[in-house]
Amino acid sequence: MSDSSTSNGLVSTQGEARRRTYLIVDGENIDATLGMSVLGHRPNPEERPRWDRIVDFAANLWNQDVTPLFFLNASSGQMPMAFVQALLAMGYRPIPLAGSSTEKVVDIGIQRMLDALQDRPGDVLLASHDGDFIPQVEDLLDDTDRRVGLLCFREFVNSRFTELASRGLSFYDLEDNVGAFQTVLPRVRIIPLEEFDPLRYL
């Protein structure tokens, strides 16, 4: 019998339910942090994350199926169709949202998605540095059976996220842990001695 997705976010295989990972990508935040805080310029195509690697990481992390959701701001009435098609080819479900100029449409959409996941089984990986999601992440952590992780540049994470580590929030660096980049990024940050790789600097 082939796998089939069920409405509660699980995959049924011969009558057995398997847990699922929900990967939620705040594309605007990742791109802005990369450009303004890491590179100091608008990222060139070869400097941007390999979004397919992020899906692969999410699948391998907890060895379970992934629902990858990529949030986009489409308030201008236009969508970057080439990028949307690329996301679809990588298995993402693009979610282009539109709203007024005073609304943070992507943030609001992700907040609503995180709220909706509170009533569903499954684990959550959020790719963002934005502190606007802290209340929703806190609520997800209240479920002790749920694993919750943040995909990020560790040095630029909102400090209130760091406080949630004691409650079980895990952090996965987009460059070091996820391997999302094809080139070495010009980052200056504190490096734990056990993670220091001299070859990176030669």
Side-chain angles (χ1 to χ4, degrees), residues 28 42 48 70-88 94-97:
E28 283 188 326
R42 183 179 179 84
R48 293 183 185 277
F70 198 109
F71 285 76
L72 299 160
N73 188 339
S75 296
S76 67
Q78 302 292 323
M79 284 193 295
M81 288 309 302
F83 183 55
V84 168
Q85 291 298 326
L87 288 173
L88 289 168
I95 303 179
L97 300 175

Side-chain angles (χ1 to χ4, degrees), residues 13-199:
T13 305
Q14 296 180 344
E16 296 181 359
R18 289 194 302 180
R19 201 170 177 88
R20 175 172 293 275
T21 298
Y22 293 93
L23 169 63
I24 299 173
V25 178
D26 180 358
E28 283 188 326
N29 179 268
I30 297 300
D31 196 64
T33 304
L34 174 63
M36 292 188 293
S37 301
V38 177
L39 299 173
H41 62 259
R42 183 179 179 84
N44 297 314
E46 68 275 9
E47 295 173 317
R48 293 183 185 277
R50 289 284 304 274
W51 300 109
D52 55 331
R53 294 184 185 181
I54 294 175
V55 176
D56 291 343
F57 176 84
N60 293 325
L61 179 63
W62 296 315
N63 192 30
Q64 55 195 22
D65 294 311
V66 178
T67 296
L69 306 170
F70 198 109
F71 285 76
L72 299 160
N73 188 339
S75 296
S76 67
Q78 302 292 323
M79 284 193 295
M81 288 309 302
F83 183 55
V84 168
Q85 291 298 326
L87 288 173
L88 289 168
M90 290 183 278
Y92 281 94
R93 297 180 187 176
I95 303 179
L97 300 175
S100 71
S101 60
T102 61
E103 291 177 305
K104 299 170 71 174
V105 295
V106 167
D107 288 6
I108 294 170
I110 291 176
Q111 288 169 336
R112 291 179 182 175
M113 181 63 70
L114 294 173
D115 284 338
L117 288 173
Q118 291 176 30
D119 298 325
R120 288 179 176 248
D123 304 310
V124 178
L125 285 174
L126 172 64
S128 183
H129 306 80
D130 197 334
D132 287 349
F133 308 128
I134 287 171
Q136 289 77 25
V137 170
E138 286 182 314
D139 289 342
L140 289 170
L141 289 169
D142 286 339
D143 181 353
T144 56
D145 292 329
R146 189 193 310 276
R147 292 170 290 198
V148 183
L150 201 66
L151 306 180
C152 56
F153 296 113
R154 191 67 177 82
E155 66 269 32
F156 297 116
V157 167
N158 185 290
S159 60
R160 289 182 58 203
F161 275 126
T162 303
E163 297 169 7
L164 296 179
S166 62
R167 292 184 53 190
L169 180 64
S170 299
F171 297 86
Y172 303 100
D173 190 274
L174 284 165
E175 184 178 18
D176 294 341
N177 303 125
V178 180
F181 296 90
Q182 301 179 84
T183 59
V184 175
L185 299 178
R187 299 165 70 187
V188 179
R189 59 206 161 97
I190 297 172
I191 305 168
L193 186 58
E194 63 271 16
E195 297 177 13
F196 173 58
D197 178 10
L199 296 178

